[in-house]
Each structure stands twice: as C-alpha cells, then as structure tokens.
C-alpha cells in the first residue's frame, strides 16, 4: 500500500522491508546499501523508532482526550453553580447592590482566561455577601446541597488545574506529532532512493523491479466523499454512525477514524475500523467510554489504487 496518511506509515514501511529483504537475498554477498551508509538494518531500526513514536503519540492523544473530558465536565458543573448563584442573588437578595454585580453566564466554549475572570468575579461577590450581608439575610450564602463558597473555591481551583493540565498535554501531543513525522520523512527519503536503486541492480523485467512497493497512490481519480451522520445511543452506550454509499467502481473499503480535537485534526486521528463495501453503519464507543466525552469521526472512501477521500466530520457527545 502507498503512503496515504499517518495510518499507512508502518504498513507501507513493512512492505519495503519485505521487498528489501528479498532483494538482499537475491544480491547475495553484495547487499544493497544506500548513501549514508543506509542498509536494510537501518530501515528496520528506524521502523522500530517510528512504531514507538506512533505509540507514544497515541498515548499523548489519549491523555489530551482525558483532560479535555475532565475540563468539560468541570465546566458544566461550575457553570451550573454560577447559574444557581445568580438566581439566588436576584431572588433572595433582590433590591441589594449585589444584584447588579452578578456577571452574565459565559459560554462553555469560552477560553480559559474568560473562565478564570468570571470565576474570580463570583468568588469576590460571594465573599462580600458573606462579610457584608444585606439587611434581612443571614450569611453564609449556601446553594443547593449546602454548597458553600469554600466548595466553589475548590471546584474553580480544580478547573484551573485542568486547564493547565490540558495545555501541557496538548504541547506534549504536538511534540509527539513532530517526532513521528520527522521519522516518517527520514524513512520516506531513503525509500525514494531505494526505488531508484533497485532498477540499477536488477534487469528491467526482474520480479523485484516489477514488484517495487509504491510510495504514492497510482495515478487515477480521487473518489467522491460520502456524507457521514451520527448520534449517541443511550440504550447501547455507543455512537451510531451511518454514511451514504460510494458508487466508485474501485472502492476497496470504508475506513473509520476518530479525533477528539475540535476542529477535527487529521494529524492525530486514530483508526477505528475498516469496513467492506456495502457496510454503511458502525456502532462504536471508541473515545467515548467516559461520561462527558466528545469525539469526532470521519469515514474515508478508500480505493484499490490507494487514493482516498475523507467525509465530513461528525461530533458525538456522550452525556
């Protein structure tokens, strides 16, 4: 298979390792060595490094997704307490100066800086109410479930920590992407030379020349993308995905991938399943095992030439 994206890095490299092994056997005492020097052993070693880099990137991406889910769950909980606080002040403390100080609720997708300012405003007002209560009100102010200022302070501090953890995890993920792709580029550069060298060591009609693995898809058309849709199924605790059918005569498979990034990030997407023509649905909980998880999905139409086209991204939220 040709290189067609991160998911193809290892299998394509493995094809070349197999071909190079056969070539060295055919060459006997004069195995192929590229400039560097760079031999089959070097490719095998770099393939191992690439495999490790890919595994570490998967781990880094999973860590990011965990922190992202934690952040989103904490946002929802804190926002609900801020809503309750505003309602309490406007209702129980109506007519006091504190009513005008209550900030508007911010959107869940607001950036961390806005969240921290909003949280600080609520804590300051809450502190002032407890220290200088309006006439007729006996502090401390408590929300549903005997929820106090101390609880709010603890929850907002935990949210801030989660923001920091997510930022650090995203930086680690970016570094892992760079390391993976640097190894891929090194391997690919040597495989370009390998493809040029083999015809120089064998006759033009030799099976090893005719069977050279490809680095890029064969010339041909790019398939039309399918249209993906999906929803969370509370009964099965899975995401139900479905897509329109590809009518391309060269269709080989539908390859499903996922990404927890928003927007969908092809660089960190992870393989979910490869399905044969005629299969137009998939139910999966990949990346959605925890309450509050959010995951994006794409379906790639893959042709037997190696050409492919990705669908629209669909985001699934697990309650």
């Amino acid at each position: 298979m040709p290189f067609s994206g991160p998911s193809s890095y290892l299998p394509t490299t493995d094809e070349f390792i197999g071909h190079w092994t056969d070539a060295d056997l055919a060459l006997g005492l004069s195995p192929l060595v590229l400039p560097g020097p760079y031999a089959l052993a070097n490719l095998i070693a770099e393939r191992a490094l690439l495999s490790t880099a890919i595994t570490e990137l998967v781990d880094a991406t999973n860590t990011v997704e965990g922190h992202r889910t934690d952040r989103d769950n904490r946002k929802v909980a804190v926002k609900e307490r801020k809503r309750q606080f505003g309602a309490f002040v406007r209702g129980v403390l109506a007519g006091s100066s504190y009513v005008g100080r209550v900030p508007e609720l911010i959107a869940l997708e607001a950036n961390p800086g806005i969240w921290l300012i909003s949280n600080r405003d609520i804590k300051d007002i809450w502190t002032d109410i407890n220290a200088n209560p309006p006439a007729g009100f006996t502090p401390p102010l408590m929300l549903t479930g005997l929820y106090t200022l101390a609880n709010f302070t603890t929850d907002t501090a935990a949210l801030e920590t989660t923001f920091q953890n997510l930022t650090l995890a995203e930086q680690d993920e970016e570094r892992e992407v760079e390391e993976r792709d640097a190894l891929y580029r090194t391997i690919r550069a040597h495989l370009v030379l390998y493809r040029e060298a083999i015809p120089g060591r064998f006759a033009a009609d030799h099976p090893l020349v005719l069977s050279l693995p490809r680095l890029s898809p064969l010339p041909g058309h790019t398939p039309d993308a399918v249209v993906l849709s999906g929803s969370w199924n509370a009964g099965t605790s899975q995401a139900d995905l479905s897509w329109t059918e590809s009518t391309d005569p060269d269709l080989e498979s539908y390859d499903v991938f996922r990404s927890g990034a928003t927007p969908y990030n092809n660089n960190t997407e992870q393989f979910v399943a490869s399905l044969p023509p005629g299969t137009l649905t998939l139910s999966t909980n990949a990346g959605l095992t925890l309450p509050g998880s959010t995951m994006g999905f794409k379906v790639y139409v893959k042709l037997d030439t190696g050409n492919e086209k990705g669908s629209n991204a669909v985001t699934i939220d697990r309650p």
Side-chain angles (χ1 to χ4, degrees):
M1 65 181 293
F3 286 123
S4 58
S7 65
S8 68
Y9 289 175
L10 291 182
T12 301
T13 301
D14 288 341
E15 285 188 5
F16 277 89
I17 288 175
H19 193 275
W20 199 328
T21 300
D22 292 341
D24 278 358
L25 287 173
L27 291 169
L29 297 177
S30 182
L32 177 63
V33 179
L34 300 174
Y38 190 93
L40 173 59
N42 299 103
L43 177 60
I44 293 173
E46 288 191 340
R47 192 270 184 205
L49 291 175
L50 179 59
S51 177
T52 298
I54 289 173
T55 298
E56 290 176 349
L57 174 57
V58 170
D59 290 342
T61 298
N62 289 339
T63 298
V64 167
E65 291 173 359
H67 286 311
R68 190 175 287 132
T69 298
D70 186 29
R71 177 204 63 186
D72 292 345
N73 286 336
R74 291 185 185 280
K75 277 184 175 181
V76 170
V78 169
K79 184 174 182 178
E80 171 57 17
R81 289 303 183 178
K82 291 161 76 172
R83 184 201 64 78
Q84 292 178 13
F85 178 83
F88 186 98
V89 173
R90 287 187 293 270
V92 178
L93 307 183
S96 72
S97 61
Y98 295 115
V99 174
R101 292 177 56 187
V102 176
E104 295 291 330
L105 283 176
I106 60 173
L108 287 173
E109 61 271 18
N111 67 51
I114 293 175
W115 270 91
L116 297 181
I117 291 171
S118 175
N119 294 344
R120 181 74 257 179
D121 285 345
I122 295 295
K123 284 190 286 185
D124 287 347
I125 300 168
W126 203 326
T127 299
D128 289 347
I129 291 172
N130 285 345
N132 300 288
F137 174 71
T138 302
L141 187 157
M142 289 189 291
L143 303 178
T144 304
L146 303 180
Y147 188 88
T148 67
L149 172 59
N151 299 130
F152 186 76
T153 300
T154 297
D155 288 347
T156 53
L159 177 58
E160 182 173 356
T161 298
T162 302
F163 283 137
Q164 295 169 344
N165 290 340
L166 177 57
T167 297
L168 293 174
E170 288 174 338
Q171 291 173 343
D172 288 342
E173 182 184 46
E174 290 175 4
R175 186 186 67 253
E176 297 294 349
V177 169
E178 292 171 358
E179 292 178 359
R180 178 202 65 185
D181 290 350
L183 283 166
Y184 159 68
R185 289 191 294 269
T186 298
I187 290 173
R188 185 186 177 97
H190 285 103
L191 295 185
V192 169
L193 297 179
Y194 178 82
R195 280 183 52 85
E196 294 176 348
I198 287 295
R201 299 295 301 272
F202 297 94
D205 60 349
H206 193 283
L208 286 169
V209 174
L210 299 178
S211 64
L212 261 174
R214 297 189 60 83
L215 291 171
S216 303
L218 289 166
H221 66 281
T222 299
D224 293 331
V226 296
V227 178
L228 176 64
S229 59
S231 61
W232 178 252
N233 187 326
T236 62
S237 293
Q238 291 190 321
D240 289 339
L241 306 175
S242 62
W243 51 91
T244 56
E245 185 172 13
S246 171
T247 58
D248 198 298
D250 299 324
L251 175 65
E252 179 179 274
S253 64
Y254 298 108
D255 291 352
V256 182
F257 285 79
R258 67 180 178 90
S259 168
T262 303
Y264 190 98
N265 188 346
N266 295 326
N267 279 327
T268 58
E269 66 183 3
Q270 296 185 30
F271 175 77
V272 176
S274 184
L275 304 167
T279 304
L280 303 177
T281 61
L282 175 69
S283 293
T284 178
N285 68 346
L288 293 167
T289 57
L290 297 176
S293 302
T294 297
M295 189 57 51
F297 292 90
K298 273 189 176 184
V299 173
Y300 288 81
V301 175
K302 184 177 179 181
L303 305 185
D304 55 21
T305 60
N307 288 294
E308 62 183 18
K309 183 71 172 181
S311 71
N312 58 299
V314 168
T315 300
I316 305 295
D317 297 319
R318 173 172 182 164

